């Protein structure tokens, strides 16, 4: 809806949605208003789609499927943002997301119709989707019998896609980054530290203290104070313990102190750590709800593929350490070879 708001079409699209909820076709005048207000790159697609829909009986399942295929927010957003460009000319991460969204259209339509086993077969037939859906998630999807169960499968798949998208974004910008930045990323995302396991945000705090050449939290606080940045010791202790997330306002003040030559790298590392930290936190909340009922009859099937993380990993940290390097290599190979949109469908993961 943000895209339509930006185009001044929010109220128009709400009217379209109103007619859809009533099971009606929007009036031609409403369709004309949407099409005429869309960017030229989107307009041609909408005109072609409307012509296709007119050929179908509005009550036929094919019509409903065609409508669902319109639900491609990323493709719409990219067409507006990169007006006049073909998808194969988008930045690499956008090409990859565009390809994923396109591949997910058919499985999405089947899931919306409650055809979970059929959706699993559609995913299995796509080489691109097989890279982001573990065999356990695919098997669980085949046996979904309710929307409640599907949510568990959906999060397992979403986790893997989120990490792959992060790796795609990182790889596409590595040529502009220092080797130090790359080392820091590896430490934060694939760090094999001592027990207890370090979260990405805790590892980020380690990077801050290391850059400041401070061996203790007290020394780090004093170092920041000497540079005019006030951080309470108790606040830093909570960050380092993983009890709270570092505050963005303070990180922006700390960044030029610890890495004067490239403060933007510290901010980018913070964004990565926070992004991955959110994935871990959400997964942790899910497991907190599941583990107490895992011994109940039928629970294993009802919450599959959990409590395992994707690709047979026992914990979030194990999954992150295992899968980030895999995705980094996957996207690194594609970027190095100059591959674009057309190449994704023929790619499979190795390892």
């Amino acid at each position: 809806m943000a895209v339509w708001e930006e185009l001044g079409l929010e109220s128009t699209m709400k009217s379209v949605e109103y007619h859809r909820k009533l099971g009606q076709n929007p009036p031609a005048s409403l369709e004309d208003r949407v099409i005429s207000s869309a960017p030229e790159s989107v307009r041609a697609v909408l005109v072609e789609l409307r012509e296709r829909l007119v050929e179908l009986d509005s009550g036929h399942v094919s019509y409903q499927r065609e409508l669902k295929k319109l639900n491609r927010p990323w493709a719409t957003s990219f067409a507006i943002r990169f007006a006049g460009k073909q998808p194969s000319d988008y930045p690499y991460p956008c090409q990859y997301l565009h390809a994923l969204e396109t591949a997910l259209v058919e499985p999405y339509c089947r899931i919306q119709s409650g055809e979970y086993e059929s959706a699993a077969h559609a995913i299995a037939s796509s080489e691109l989707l097989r890279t982001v859906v573990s065999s356990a998630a695919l098997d669980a999807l085949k046996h979904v019998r309710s929307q409640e169960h599907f949510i568990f499968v959906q999060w397992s798949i979403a986790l893997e896609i989120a990490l792959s998208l992060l790796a795609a974004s990182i790889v596409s910008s590595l040529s502009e980054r220092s080797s130090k930045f790359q080392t820091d990323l590896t430490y934060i995302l694939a760090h094999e530290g001592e027990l207890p396991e370090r979260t990405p945000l805790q590892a980020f705090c380690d990077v801050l203290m290391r850059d400041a050449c401070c061996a203790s939290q007290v020394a780090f606080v004093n170092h920041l104070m000497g540079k005019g940045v006030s951080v309470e010791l108790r606040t830093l202790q909570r960050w380092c313990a993983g009890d709270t997330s570092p505050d963005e306002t303070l990180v922006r003040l700390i960044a030029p102190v610890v890495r004067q030559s490239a403060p933007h790298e510290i901010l980018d590392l913070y964004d990565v750590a926070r992004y991955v930290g959110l994935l871990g936190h959400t997964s942790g909340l899910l497991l907190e709800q599941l583990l107490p009922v895992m011994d109940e009859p039928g629970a294993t099937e009802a919450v599959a593929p959990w409590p395992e993380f994707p690709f047979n990993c026992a914990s979030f940290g194990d999954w992150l350490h295992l899968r980030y390097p895999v995705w980094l290599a996957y996207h690194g190979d594609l970027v190095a070879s100059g591959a674009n949109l057309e190449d994704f469908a023929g790619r499979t993961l190795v390892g």
Side-chain angles (χ1 to χ4, degrees):
M1 192 56 73
V3 173
W4 301 121
E5 184 178 354
E6 184 178 330
L7 293 172
L9 288 172
E10 185 178 13
S11 61
T12 301
M13 293 309 297
K14 284 182 177 178
S15 297
V16 171
E17 190 61 29
Y18 170 77
H19 285 285
R20 286 181 181 170
K21 287 180 179 178
L22 293 178
Q24 304 171 348
N25 293 335
S29 59
L30 200 57
E31 293 179 348
D32 290 339
R33 200 185 318 165
V34 173
I35 293 173
S36 62
S37 302
E40 186 175 351
S41 56
V42 179
R43 204 177 303 153
V45 176
L46 293 177
V47 169
E48 179 184 353
L49 182 60
R50 182 167 68 171
E51 291 173 352
R52 233 185 319 145
L53 292 177
V54 167
E55 298 172 359
L56 298 169
D57 176 2
S58 63
H60 194 272
V61 67
S62 298
Y63 180 86
Q64 299 303 321
R65 284 190 180 277
E66 290 295 332
L67 279 181
K68 288 173 182 175
K69 290 178 183 180
L70 261 176
N71 188 22
R72 295 179 58 202
W74 286 111
T76 303
S77 177
F78 294 154
I80 294 170
R81 182 179 178 186
F82 305 113
K85 291 186 177 182
Q86 295 298 315
S88 57
D89 296 323
Y90 296 168
Y92 174 82
C94 298
Q95 286 191 40
Y96 179 62
L97 183 51
H98 186 285
L100 277 177
E101 186 179 52
T102 300
L104 282 166
V105 166
E106 187 58 35
Y108 165 79
C109 289
R110 299 183 187 189
I111 287 168
Q112 290 293 301
S113 301
E115 303 167 26
Y116 298 108
E117 185 171 1
S118 178
H121 288 307
I123 290 173
S125 67
S126 166
E127 293 187 3
L128 179 62
L129 295 182
R130 287 205 307 270
T131 64
V132 294
V133 182
S134 68
S135 58
L138 196 61
D139 186 62
L141 180 57
K142 293 177 184 177
H143 296 91
V144 167
R145 295 294 179 267
S146 68
Q147 183 64 30
E148 290 74 16
H149 182 193
F150 173 66
I151 291 173
F152 300 130
V153 180
Q154 185 180 30
W155 182 242
S156 180
I157 297 172
L159 263 182
E160 195 69 28
I161 289 177
L163 188 61
S164 179
L165 288 172
L166 176 63
S169 178
I170 288 171
V171 165
S172 68
S173 64
L174 279 183
S175 62
E176 307 164 9
R177 305 295 191 182
S178 66
S179 58
K180 183 180 179 63
F181 179 81
Q182 298 179 41
T183 300
D184 291 339
L185 274 176
T186 301
Y187 178 79
I188 289 173
L189 296 175
H191 173 55
E192 298 285 358
E194 318 81 25
L195 293 176
E197 190 175 86
R198 305 288 282 166
T199 68
L201 283 167
Q202 285 177 291
F204 170 73
C205 291
D206 294 343
V207 170
L208 295 181
M209 292 180 59
R210 185 207 59 207
D211 271 24
C213 300
C214 294
S216 71
Q217 295 168 5
V218 172
F220 186 48
V221 167
N222 290 337
H223 176 73
L224 293 176
M225 287 283 286
K227 299 293 184 178
V229 178
S230 178
V231 178
E232 294 184 3
L233 177 60
R234 182 59 189 147
T235 297
L236 178 62
Q237 289 172 336
R238 287 196 293 267
W239 293 356
C240 293
D243 294 335
T244 60
S245 172
D247 180 78
E248 182 176 355
T249 302
L250 287 175
V251 172
R252 289 188 175 279
L253 295 175
I254 293 171
V257 172
V258 300
R259 197 170 297 189
Q260 187 175 3
S261 61
H264 62 280
E265 290 190 351
I266 294 295
L267 297 175
D268 288 345
L269 290 171
Y270 171 66
D271 286 341
V272 169
R274 188 168 56 172
Y275 174 88
V276 178
L278 178 61
L279 298 179
H281 177 69
T282 304
S283 300
L285 292 177
L286 174 69
L287 289 177
E288 284 180 10
Q289 299 296 315
L290 295 184
L291 291 179
V293 300
M294 283 305 298
D295 292 334
E296 295 182 4
T300 302
E301 294 77 12
V303 302
W306 299 96
E308 276 197 345
F309 281 79
F311 295 91
N312 304 313
C313 294
S315 69
F316 179 81
D318 289 343
W319 168 75
L320 188 59
H321 302 155
L322 174 70
R323 299 302 295 172
Y324 172 69
V326 172
W327 283 118
L328 198 65
Y330 173 81
H331 291 293
D333 288 347
L334 278 174
V335 169
S337 66
N340 61 26
L341 198 67
E342 288 74 22
D343 298 294
F344 286 117
R347 288 284 297 194
T348 56
L349 279 176
V350 176

